[in-house]
Amino acid sequence: MHRLAKLSLANRSVVALITIIIAIFGLISVGGLKQELIPSFETPQAAIVTTYPGASPEVIDKQVSQPIEAAVRALDGLVTSSSTSQSNVSIVRVEFDYGTSTSKVKENLNAALASLTLPSEATAKVLSGSFDSVPVIALGVSANSGNNEAIGKVLEDTAAPLLASVPGVRDVSVSGVVEKRINLTLKQSVLTANGLTSQSITSALQ
């Protein structure tokens, strides 16, 4: 160590030159590094969302949530699972071992769903993703005239396809669009008198 210090002091100009060269190469290397605002990062988590129009929470739990959760618990690498049963909707959340790819999670869950026989009117969908799915840019638009319903149609028909055509854009979605909706309040006594159920009304309107 003493010899190295003595040698450095005796050749200070050479040591300074080597230090400058190393610093320059370091700056060049930093400039060439790939940088991302939101790096790609996959989380081994997913949710199975099943819609069953007209079904009560009890029916959802018995006929949808419990069978799905029982099927996913048999999958390799599963860490935890939980379910939420609400009117018309079942949500089963799952978490797999860290390092499991999103595509593998989705593949396993779809295989588990394929082995089940759910009610014919129930529709299940696997939702999984990574930080690649997080929107990088969010834009807010409003109409000066106050007609946000009309501008929503323009955004969906014109703006979204235009932005999606830009090179490097993976996906464009429009949310918060005002839509016309009709709410029906059914009288149970009238339904019973005519031999109908809320499910039959829902099916007739679809």
Side-chain angles (χ1 to χ4, degrees):
M1 188 68 181
H2 177 70
R3 291 182 179 179
L4 180 60
K6 188 175 181 179
L7 180 63
S8 299
L9 291 173
N11 300 275
R12 284 176 290 183
S13 58
V14 176
V15 173
L17 180 60
I18 294 175
T19 303
I20 293 173
I21 293 174
I22 293 175
I24 292 174
F25 275 105
L27 292 174
I28 294 174
S29 300
V30 169
L33 290 176
K34 181 181 179 181
Q35 300 180 31
E36 294 184 13
L37 179 62
I38 304 178
S40 178
F41 179 74
E42 293 186 340
T43 56
Q45 299 177 349
I48 301 175
V49 180
T50 307
T51 56
Y52 187 3
S56 65
E58 293 77 14
V59 173
I60 289 287
D61 183 61
K62 184 177 181 180
Q63 299 185 12
V64 180
S65 297
Q66 290 184 21
I68 291 178
E69 195 165 9
V72 299
R73 282 178 178 172
L75 297 176
D76 293 334
L78 182 71
V79 177
T80 60
S81 68
S82 62
S83 64
T84 302
S85 300
Q86 303 172 345
S87 296
N88 308 316
V89 179
S90 162
I91 303 175
V92 177
R93 299 176 180 84
V94 295
E95 179 180 353
F96 286 82
D97 289 330
Y98 183 77
T100 307
S101 65
T102 301
S103 59
K104 185 64 175 178
V105 169
K106 197 167 186 177
E107 179 184 343
N108 289 342
L109 294 179
N110 282 324
L113 287 174
S115 66
L116 296 175
T117 302
L118 298 176
S120 58
E121 296 179 356
T123 303
K125 184 177 182 181
V126 177
L127 301 178
S128 62
S130 64
F131 280 131
D132 290 340
S133 302
V134 177
V136 176
I137 299 176
L139 303 175
V141 181
S142 62
N144 293 330
S145 62
N147 190 355
N148 288 323
E149 181 181 350
I151 199 172
K153 182 172 177 57
V154 173
L155 291 174
E156 290 180 335
D157 296 343
T158 306
L162 182 63
L163 292 173
S165 65
V166 176
V169 175
R170 191 183 69 174
D171 183 51
V172 177
S173 62
V174 179
S175 61
V177 177
V178 178
E179 298 179 347
K180 290 183 178 179
R181 183 174 61 182
I182 299 176
N183 295 323
L184 299 178
T185 302
L186 305 178
K187 292 184 177 180
Q188 189 60 45
S189 58
V190 177
L191 291 176
T192 303
N194 290 275
L196 299 173
T197 63
S198 58
Q199 179 59 45
S200 62
I201 299 297
T202 301
S203 300
L205 293 175
Q206 290 179 339

Short mmCIF file of all heavy atoms in Angstrom, two decimals, residues 1 12 37 40 46 52 59 62 66 116 123 127 133 138 147 165 169 171 173 184 192 200 206:
data_model
loop_
_atom_site.label_atom_id
_atom_site.label_comp_id
_atom_site.label_asym_id
_atom_site.label_seq_id
_atom_site.Cartn_x
_atom_site.Cartn_y
_atom_site.Cartn_z
N MET A 1 0.83 -1.20 0.00
CA MET A 1 0.00 0.00 0.00
C MET A 1 0.87 1.25 0.00
O MET A 1 0.58 2.23 -0.69
CB MET A 1 -0.92 -0.02 1.24
CG MET A 1 -1.96 1.09 1.25
SD MET A 1 -3.18 0.84 -0.07
CE MET A 1 -4.21 2.27 0.16
N ARG A 12 1.99 11.83 -10.61
CA ARG A 12 0.69 12.48 -10.43
C ARG A 12 0.01 12.83 -11.74
O ARG A 12 -1.21 12.74 -11.88
CB ARG A 12 0.86 13.73 -9.57
CG ARG A 12 1.06 13.43 -8.09
CD ARG A 12 1.33 14.67 -7.28
NE ARG A 12 2.66 15.21 -7.59
CZ ARG A 12 3.18 16.28 -6.99
NH1 ARG A 12 2.48 16.92 -6.06
NH2 ARG A 12 4.39 16.70 -7.30
N LEU A 37 -39.27 5.43 -17.86
CA LEU A 37 -40.00 6.12 -16.80
C LEU A 37 -40.68 5.12 -15.88
O LEU A 37 -40.64 5.23 -14.66
CB LEU A 37 -41.04 7.08 -17.41
CG LEU A 37 -41.91 7.86 -16.42
CD1 LEU A 37 -41.04 8.77 -15.56
CD2 LEU A 37 -42.96 8.66 -17.16
N SER A 40 -40.56 -2.20 -17.00
CA SER A 40 -41.44 -3.36 -17.07
C SER A 40 -41.29 -4.19 -15.80
O SER A 40 -40.19 -4.55 -15.39
CB SER A 40 -41.07 -4.21 -18.30
OG SER A 40 -41.86 -5.37 -18.35
N ALA A 46 -53.64 -11.84 -10.10
CA ALA A 46 -54.69 -11.75 -11.11
C ALA A 46 -56.04 -11.82 -10.43
O ALA A 46 -56.14 -12.08 -9.22
CB ALA A 46 -54.55 -12.86 -12.15
N TYR A 52 -72.85 -12.54 -13.65
CA TYR A 52 -74.01 -13.44 -13.70
C TYR A 52 -75.24 -12.58 -13.47
O TYR A 52 -75.70 -12.41 -12.34
CB TYR A 52 -73.87 -14.51 -12.62
CG TYR A 52 -74.90 -15.61 -12.67
CD1 TYR A 52 -75.88 -15.67 -13.66
CD2 TYR A 52 -74.92 -16.60 -11.69
CE1 TYR A 52 -76.82 -16.67 -13.69
CE2 TYR A 52 -75.86 -17.63 -11.71
CZ TYR A 52 -76.81 -17.65 -12.71
OH TYR A 52 -77.75 -18.66 -12.74
N VAL A 59 -76.38 -16.78 -4.44
CA VAL A 59 -76.26 -17.63 -5.63
C VAL A 59 -74.88 -17.48 -6.25
O VAL A 59 -74.25 -18.47 -6.66
CB VAL A 59 -77.36 -17.29 -6.65
CG1 VAL A 59 -77.14 -18.04 -7.96
CG2 VAL A 59 -78.73 -17.61 -6.08
N LYS A 62 -72.35 -19.46 -4.11
CA LYS A 62 -72.48 -20.91 -4.17
C LYS A 62 -72.17 -21.48 -5.55
O LYS A 62 -71.48 -22.50 -5.68
CB LYS A 62 -73.88 -21.33 -3.74
CG LYS A 62 -74.09 -22.84 -3.68
CD LYS A 62 -75.48 -23.18 -3.18
CE LYS A 62 -75.69 -24.69 -3.11
NZ LYS A 62 -77.05 -25.04 -2.62
N GLN A 66 -67.36 -20.09 -5.10
CA GLN A 66 -66.81 -21.29 -4.45
C GLN A 66 -66.22 -22.28 -5.44
O GLN A 66 -65.10 -22.78 -5.23
CB GLN A 66 -67.89 -21.95 -3.59
CG GLN A 66 -68.27 -21.15 -2.36
CD GLN A 66 -69.27 -21.88 -1.47
OE1 GLN A 66 -69.41 -23.10 -1.53
NE2 GLN A 66 -69.99 -21.13 -0.65
N LEU A 116 -64.32 -26.18 -15.27
CA LEU A 116 -65.54 -25.96 -14.50
C LEU A 116 -66.78 -25.90 -15.38
O LEU A 116 -66.70 -25.60 -16.57
CB LEU A 116 -65.44 -24.64 -13.72
CG LEU A 116 -64.34 -24.54 -12.65
CD1 LEU A 116 -64.30 -23.13 -12.08
CD2 LEU A 116 -64.59 -25.55 -11.55
N THR A 123 -70.46 -15.31 -17.22
CA THR A 123 -69.32 -15.04 -18.11
C THR A 123 -68.10 -14.69 -17.27
O THR A 123 -68.11 -13.70 -16.53
CB THR A 123 -69.63 -13.88 -19.07
OG1 THR A 123 -70.81 -14.19 -19.82
CG2 THR A 123 -68.47 -13.66 -20.03
N LEU A 127 -58.32 -11.30 -15.47
CA LEU A 127 -57.66 -10.00 -15.58
C LEU A 127 -56.30 -10.09 -14.91
O LEU A 127 -56.20 -10.36 -13.71
CB LEU A 127 -58.49 -8.90 -14.91
CG LEU A 127 -59.91 -8.70 -15.45
CD1 LEU A 127 -60.62 -7.61 -14.67
CD2 LEU A 127 -59.87 -8.34 -16.93
N SER A 133 -48.98 -2.22 -18.31
CA SER A 133 -50.38 -1.88 -18.55
C SER A 133 -50.78 -0.55 -17.92
O SER A 133 -51.91 -0.10 -18.09
CB SER A 133 -51.28 -2.99 -18.00
OG SER A 133 -50.96 -4.23 -18.59
N ALA A 138 -52.28 10.43 -19.55
CA ALA A 138 -53.73 10.53 -19.37
C ALA A 138 -54.16 11.93 -19.76
O ALA A 138 -53.60 12.92 -19.29
CB ALA A 138 -54.12 10.23 -17.93
N ASN A 147 -72.01 19.43 -23.79
CA ASN A 147 -72.51 18.18 -24.36
C ASN A 147 -71.40 17.13 -24.35
O ASN A 147 -70.79 16.83 -25.38
CB ASN A 147 -73.01 18.43 -25.79
CG ASN A 147 -73.77 17.22 -26.35
OD1 ASN A 147 -73.84 16.17 -25.71
ND2 ASN A 147 -74.33 17.37 -27.53
N SER A 165 -52.77 4.85 -33.84
CA SER A 165 -51.96 4.68 -35.05
C SER A 165 -50.57 5.27 -34.91
O SER A 165 -49.72 5.07 -35.77
CB SER A 165 -52.67 5.34 -36.24
OG SER A 165 -52.76 6.75 -36.07
N VAL A 169 -47.32 3.41 -29.69
CA VAL A 169 -48.50 3.38 -28.81
C VAL A 169 -49.08 1.98 -28.84
O VAL A 169 -49.45 1.47 -29.90
CB VAL A 169 -49.56 4.41 -29.25
CG1 VAL A 169 -50.81 4.27 -28.40
CG2 VAL A 169 -49.00 5.82 -29.13
N ASP A 171 -51.78 0.85 -26.73
CA ASP A 171 -53.22 0.79 -26.51
C ASP A 171 -53.75 2.17 -26.15
O ASP A 171 -53.04 2.98 -25.53
CB ASP A 171 -53.54 -0.21 -25.40
CG ASP A 171 -55.03 -0.36 -25.18
OD1 ASP A 171 -55.74 -0.60 -26.17
OD2 ASP A 171 -55.49 -0.22 -24.03
N SER A 173 -57.44 3.88 -24.61
CA SER A 173 -58.79 3.62 -24.09
C SER A 173 -59.44 4.93 -23.68
O SER A 173 -58.76 5.86 -23.25
CB SER A 173 -58.74 2.66 -22.90
OG SER A 173 -58.00 3.22 -21.83
N LEU A 184 -84.70 0.51 -14.39
CA LEU A 184 -86.01 -0.10 -14.21
C LEU A 184 -86.17 -0.56 -12.76
O LEU A 184 -85.29 -1.22 -12.21
CB LEU A 184 -86.17 -1.31 -15.14
CG LEU A 184 -86.08 -1.03 -16.65
CD1 LEU A 184 -86.22 -2.33 -17.42
CD2 LEU A 184 -87.15 -0.04 -17.08
N THR A 192 -94.54 -11.78 -9.76
CA THR A 192 -95.05 -13.05 -9.25
C THR A 192 -96.41 -13.39 -9.85
O THR A 192 -96.68 -14.54 -10.22
CB THR A 192 -95.16 -13.00 -7.72
OG1 THR A 192 -93.88 -12.67 -7.16
CG2 THR A 192 -95.62 -14.33 -7.16
N SER A 200 -85.68 -13.25 -15.82
CA SER A 200 -86.35 -13.36 -17.12
C SER A 200 -86.49 -12.00 -17.80
O SER A 200 -86.38 -11.89 -19.02
CB SER A 200 -87.73 -14.01 -16.94
OG SER A 200 -88.56 -13.21 -16.11
N GLN A 206 -81.81 -8.21 -23.06
CA GLN A 206 -80.46 -8.34 -23.63
C GLN A 206 -80.53 -8.70 -25.11
O GLN A 206 -81.45 -9.30 -25.58
CB GLN A 206 -79.67 -9.41 -22.88
CG GLN A 206 -79.29 -8.97 -21.48
CD GLN A 206 -78.53 -10.03 -20.72
OE1 GLN A 206 -78.59 -11.22 -21.05
NE2 GLN A 206 -77.81 -9.63 -19.68
#
